[in-house]
Structures are given as C-alpha cells and as structure tokens.
Amino acid sequence: MAVLLLGEVTNGELNGDATGKAVAALKSLGDVTVLCAGASAKAAAGDAAKIDGVAKVLVAEDARYGHRLAEPTAALMVALAGDYDHIAAPATTDAKNVMPRVAALLDVMVIPDVSAVIDADTFERPVYAGNAIQTVKSKDARKVLTVRTTSFDAAGEGGGAPVEDATLADDPGLSSWIADEVAESDRPELTSAGRVVSGGRGIGSKENFEIVEKLADKLGAAVGASRAAVDSGYAPNDWQVGQTGKVVAPELYVAVGISGAIQHLAGMKDSKVIVAINKDEEAPIFQIADYGLVGDLFTLVPELTEKL
Amino acid sequence: MKVLVPVKRVIDYNVKAKVKSDGSGVDLANVKMSMNPFDEIAVEEAIRLKEKGAAEEVIVVSVGVKQAAETIRTALAMGADRGILVVAADDVHQDIEPLAVAKILKAVIDQEQPGLVITGKQAIDNDMNATGQMLAALLGWGQATFASKLDIDGDAAKVTREVDGGLQTISVKMPAIVTADLRLNEPRYASLPNIMKAKKKPLDEKTAADFGVDVSPRLEIVSVKEPEGRSAGIKVGSVDELVSKLKEAGVV
C-alpha cells in the first residue's frame, strides 16, 4: 500500500504545517510519497524530505505548475497515480481545486475533508456545516482524498527521504494565469496560527475591524472573520472561518461580535481555548466559549488590547 | 451563447440539520428545502450575463428527487429561461454523489452545447466541493473555481478566484466551468409576477437512465453521528478577570 500526497507548495515554499499534518494523518496507510510541484519546487522538496514519515519526495519543477492552475497539476497526478492506492492532499483551496478533477479523471469519488482515518477504505468527514460527522467506506479501487489538517497533529522533523524528479505530464493548456493579489501581511497564516482573533457582524463596518486587528497584533495572532462579516463586506473572504471558509484550531481563539452560527462554529470549535466577547448574553457562541465576556465590544476590546 | 447552471435542492441554510436517531443520515423529512445558496449565486451570475448581452439563454439543470422541480422553478422565477430536471432518486434522503451528477451533467451538456457552465462551489449538505471540478475533468474543459468576479473576454472567461492568502485572476478558454464563491454577487429575489411567469416556462423531465448513468454510490455511508459537543465555560465579569484567566490557562 502506498500514498501519493500532493505537498502544498506556494511560490516555491512548502506549507510545512499543512503538508506535515497530512503526512501524520496518512502514514498508517503505507509509504508516503510527497509530490512537490511548482515553477520552483526543489527547495520545497528538500523541506518535504525532512518531514518524519515521508518515504520519498517527487519533484516536478516547471513553469506549467507555477500558478495553482488545476489542469496541469491534475494531469501530473493522474500520470503518477498508477503506483499508489491513496492519492491525497491537505484540504487547502488549491487541493480543493485539483483533487476532484484528479478523482473524476480516475473515475473514482473524491473523499473531501477527511477528519479521521479508520482504515484503508473508511474515513470520517464533517457534513452539513459540521452538524454531522459521516463515516464513509469507499468502494473505489483507488482513493482520492483531502485531509482536514486541523484534525491531526503535526508530524515531526528529522527525516531524510530521497528526492527524485517526477516525469512531467503534458499541460492541457486550458487556462492561464493573469495576476495574484496577495494580501501583504506580517501576521501568521490563519490556518496554522497559534492564536486567532475573529470579528463578526457586531463589528459593524470595515473601518471598525481595526479594533479586531489591533487585538490580533497585540497577541501576535492571525485575523479571522465570520461569514456574516465577510458577507457584509467588513472583511476579505480569505479571512473567513467556518465550513465555507477556513477551519482553524489554534491554542487561543477570540471571537468578537460573533453570535456563533453553526457554520462558524464548525470552523473553530476544535480550538483549545475559546474566548467570546458579545453584547448579547444569549448568543450561541457562549455555549462553547471557555471564557465569555458580555458587553460592548467597542470598549471591552480596546481595554483588553491595552491590558494584555 | 447558452449558459448552463446546475443547481441542487438542499436543506434550507437557516435550518439546523438533525442527525436521525438510527444514525443513517440527517433527517430531511418535513424539513424546509431551498436552492443551495452557492447555486443561487451561480443562477444570478448567469442571468446578469444574459442581461449584459453576453449570453442568449440560461438553462437550469437539477439532478435529484422529483421535488427538485421546485428548485428549478425558483431559478426560472429569478430569470432563467428553461429547466431540465433529471430524476435520479425517489427518497429525499438519497444524495446523488458528485461523480454521478457530473456524468449526467456531461450528457446534458453534450446535447445542449453551452459555452459556459456556472455552478456553486459546494453544496451545503454534503459539503463536497467537487461537482464543478469533476464535470470539467469529464468534459476535458478548463475550470475556474471559487469565483468572486467573472468577465467574458472574447472566447475566454476572465475569473478572479478566492484562494488561500488572497485573490488570483486567471483566464480560462471557453467552453469552461466556473464555480461561484460567496462574493460573486448578491442574488435577487424573485418578484411575484416573475414567480407566476416562471410557472409557464419550459421544464423538461428526464431520468438518470435516459442518459445511461449508473448513480449507485461509490462511498457507502456507514454511519452518521452528531459531532462531539463542547460544553460552555464561565462568564467573566471584567477585562481584568479575563486577562487573569487567560494567564492561568497559559495562552497569553
């Protein structure tokens, strides 16, 4: 039994957290080969080789893999698929773009957002915005899946897996890259941050979101937002925490002006310590918060920022 | 150009899903059902393309139980031109997997020859986020997922995508598949006169067998359970108390 894992490589850098957690999730299924594909991927492959539990690293360094385009990467994975029983990736937006395409090309179902590996055929995954956990047993000969990384512990470092060049596959040439608009930020990346401060509809405006950002910066935290805040235009979509956004599980999660819709809770309820600040003491967020503070966020949050 | 919009009938997003006591799934009997919210955004985008003159006809397709006809009527009331219902299940609890849905949609597309397919990025019931990508694979088309902006530019679609870390803009050759993210647009409400008019718009009914597609699931649902609960902690009376609790917990 062998696993082909698509490493998360962005602009030549390996996302070691997401990739390492996916390795930890899957190594019980067999030897894990990590594929690093990108316009620049050799450095990422070197980093992937150090992850504990990685048996081999394949590197596909070519301009065609440079801009997260689904078609060339899917074609590459399908060309490599023959040697593997499980084809997987951490459940990032890039993997969610690529992996269903890989699955359909192999005529198998994709098993997205795996939160527990029961055995080689059987997996748990959240459905209905986290309101239910489904256990599915795949009848397909080959399994294509994505891993919800917050459900797994990070793999250690210290491995020294061999790195080999992968045979490149033809680029179907169906799409091309035009531009990236990456938010420049010194803050930690949302899904792997140790601390997250999120704002909800209660923040009231895009300008007021500064209150949330100041607290986050004081804590060295990433900034998140509820879907309601994103919908209202207070925060960009890539800050969205929840079933339709990002799933986070930091040591500390501070929810400011967030009522606690189930779809938001699905994205953060595995956080170690949850703090909720909200003026409505009946807000559902208080039912899962370790520490709740009822009151006006516009006075409480600046006060908290000052006193930390 | 025809634009084809696949839509799914799902539990209404304001209804809390409850797991059935026998652990076989989520209870959908006598529960309010609506169009998947991301699909509603896709319908809106297709109608806007028609209003701008970039598309001539908007065709809405749904694969599922016969009650999905109501979902198609909703899209017709918003402004879509005609609908195709593909009945593939009798029981409202039977979910047709994205791979089977994509195969049926491919067969419909082979007949209809649209220039563009727009659908929601994921359905809020099974949260698969897969049908658009699978359909693109089966057709050999390019895909632009998680779209927050769409412009037709000659024989290509220019799409801004929501990705980890920000936004990406790509150009995808048409015909192509676009999947809608939250911020692509705000769907309109259907007016009463349009709801009445929609009743007269054409709605073809087919079955999965008409297209020769086997819809039997590849993923057997072994069980469905409630997620582990998390109990409420304590309310603190002041910021000072909160700070000292967080210090005790060792998280600040």
Side-chain angles (χ1 to χ4, degrees):
Chain A
M1 303 289 266
V3 180
L4 178 66
L5 177 71
L6 178 65
E8 176 78 0
V9 179
T10 309
N11 296 326
E13 268 183 53
L14 182 76
N15 180 334
D17 180 74
T19 308
K21 284 175 176 165
V23 171
L26 300 168
K27 62 184 179 190
S28 68
L29 297 176
D31 280 350
V32 178
T33 297
V34 177
L35 169 65
C36 291
S40 148
K42 289 210 167 84
D47 288 342
K50 292 180 201 145
I51 298 172
D52 260 349
V54 173
K56 190 164 91 174
V57 176
L58 288 174
V59 55
E61 188 172 89
D62 190 87
R64 77 191 79 166
Y65 305 119
H67 292 292
R68 316 168 180 244
L69 300 175
E71 302 89 5
T73 303
L76 174 66
M77 296 195 76
V78 169
L80 297 171
D83 297 335
Y84 304 94
D85 309 288
H86 293 83
I87 298 163
T92 59
T93 52
D94 286 357
K96 288 175 176 183
N97 188 28
V98 172
M99 298 304 276
R101 189 173 181 104
V102 172
L105 291 171
L106 296 169
D107 192 28
V108 303
M109 256 305 288
V110 64
I111 311 167
D113 275 320
V114 166
S115 55
V117 176
I118 311 293
D119 61 37
D121 305 315
T122 316
F123 306 91
E124 281 185 12
R125 56 181 300 268
V127 291
Y128 286 89
N131 278 303
I133 308 294
Q134 197 179 55
T135 302
V136 294
K137 186 172 164 69
S138 171
K139 296 172 191 166
D140 287 318
R142 195 166 277 140
K143 280 74 179 168
V144 175
L145 57 117
T146 63
V147 175
R148 176 167 285 212
T149 52
T150 55
S151 303
F152 299 94
D153 292 330
E157 281 216 352
V163 179
E164 292 172 18
D165 283 329
T167 307
L168 307 187
D170 284 341
D171 179 359
L174 296 165
S175 58
S176 56
W177 172 81
I178 297 176
D180 284 333
E181 264 177 74
V182 178
E184 286 298 326
S185 170
D186 295 332
R187 296 190 185 112
E189 199 262 323
L190 185 54
T191 52
S192 57
R195 294 167 179 171
V196 174
V197 182
S198 288
R201 203 198 304 268
I203 303 297
S205 73
K206 194 175 177 179
E207 291 70 34
N208 289 350
F209 231 84
E210 198 180 308
I211 296 175
V212 173
E213 294 178 54
K214 279 187 174 157
L215 176 57
D217 291 341
K218 186 71 178 275
L219 285 165
V223 179
S226 70
R227 177 167 165 176
V230 172
D231 266 347
S232 307
Y234 305 165
N237 191 53
D238 66 309
W239 289 4
Q240 192 196 142
V241 172
Q243 184 79 349
T244 56
K246 298 213 164 56
V247 178
V248 302
E251 293 287 302
L252 173 65
Y253 189 90
V254 184
V256 181
I258 291 177
S259 64
I262 187 76
Q263 97 91 21
H264 183 74
L265 304 187
M268 46 65 81
K269 66 181 169 49
D270 294 330
S271 305
K272 194 171 161 215
V273 171
I274 297 173
V275 173
I277 302 173
N278 202 300
K279 66 172 189 241
D280 174 12
E281 68 178 307
E282 302 297 321
I285 190 80
F286 289 121
Q287 289 164 22
I288 64 147
D290 298 286
Y291 306 110
L293 185 55
V294 179
D296 178 19
L297 69 93
F298 297 104
T299 52
L300 294 173
V301 175
E303 187 186 343
L304 179 60
T305 305
E306 194 191 305
K307 287 182 173 167
L308 278 169
Chain B
M1 176 177 80
K2 291 183 189 175
V3 180
L4 190 128
V5 186
V7 299
K8 187 176 186 185
R9 178 181 187 265
V10 298
I11 191 168
D12 185 86
Y13 87 105
N14 285 310
V15 176
K16 188 179 185 303
K18 290 203 178 66
V19 174
K20 287 199 277 187
S21 54
D22 65 359
S24 65
V26 163
D27 192 0
L28 296 176
N30 306 312
V31 169
K32 187 185 178 199
M33 304 291 280
S34 299
M35 192 191 307
N36 177 41
F38 290 103
D39 297 342
E40 223 176 330
I41 295 170
V43 172
E44 174 67 32
E45 195 67 17
I47 295 167
R48 288 186 190 186
L49 286 177
K50 190 183 168 189
E51 288 168 348
K52 279 194 286 196
E56 280 95 49
E57 190 184 29
V58 177
I59 307 160
V60 175
V61 185
S62 193
V63 177
V65 290
K66 65 178 191 309
Q67 292 91 325
E70 296 160 20
T71 313
I72 295 176
R73 290 284 175 208
T74 304
L76 297 177
M78 287 171 72
D81 297 296
R82 63 184 166 96
I84 301 168
L85 170 65
V86 183
V87 177
D90 300 322
D91 180 353
V92 293
H93 293 97
Q94 191 192 338
D95 191 33
I96 309 298
E97 288 175 349
L99 182 62
V101 171
K103 287 178 177 180
I104 291 169
L105 292 174
K106 178 185 183 296
V108 171
I109 286 163
D110 286 343
Q111 289 176 0
E112 296 287 347
Q113 300 285 317
L116 187 66
V117 174
I118 313 177
T119 192
K121 74 163 180 177
Q122 87 190 62
I124 60 164
D125 51 3
N126 64 29
D127 285 323
M128 285 274 179
N129 190 338
T131 303
Q133 296 91 314
M134 291 188 132
L135 178 59
L138 298 179
L139 289 162
W141 291 6
Q143 66 187 54
T145 52
F146 324 144
S148 63
K149 194 166 184 292
L150 165 65
D151 290 303
I152 306 299
D153 183 11
D155 59 359
K158 188 176 162 194
V159 179
T160 301
R161 306 178 53 234
E162 305 266 10
V163 296
D164 288 338
L167 298 170
Q168 177 193 49
T169 303
I170 63 170
S171 172
V172 56
K173 280 182 193 162
M174 296 206 291
I177 311 281
V178 174
T179 76
D181 212 324
L182 210 54
R183 295 193 301 175
L184 185 58
N185 60 52
E186 274 186 44
R188 71 194 67 191
Y189 291 100
S191 66
L192 191 58
N194 285 343
I195 292 170
M196 300 311 288
K197 252 195 269 177
K199 291 182 178 166
K200 296 203 177 77
K201 289 183 178 176
L203 200 172
D204 272 358
E205 195 175 313
K206 309 265 190 195
T207 66
D210 292 341
F211 300 107
V213 175
D214 176 8
V215 298
S216 52
R218 304 290 187 86
L219 304 179
E220 177 201 341
I221 296 170
V222 179
S223 64
V224 177
K225 63 182 180 189
E226 299 256 1
E228 275 171 38
R230 187 179 173 121
S231 48
I234 55 162
K235 293 254 172 71
V236 291
S238 69
V239 168
D240 290 319
E241 193 185 343
L242 176 61
V243 171
S244 72
K245 289 288 182 196
L246 292 177
K247 281 184 178 154
E248 268 173 47
V251 290
V252 297

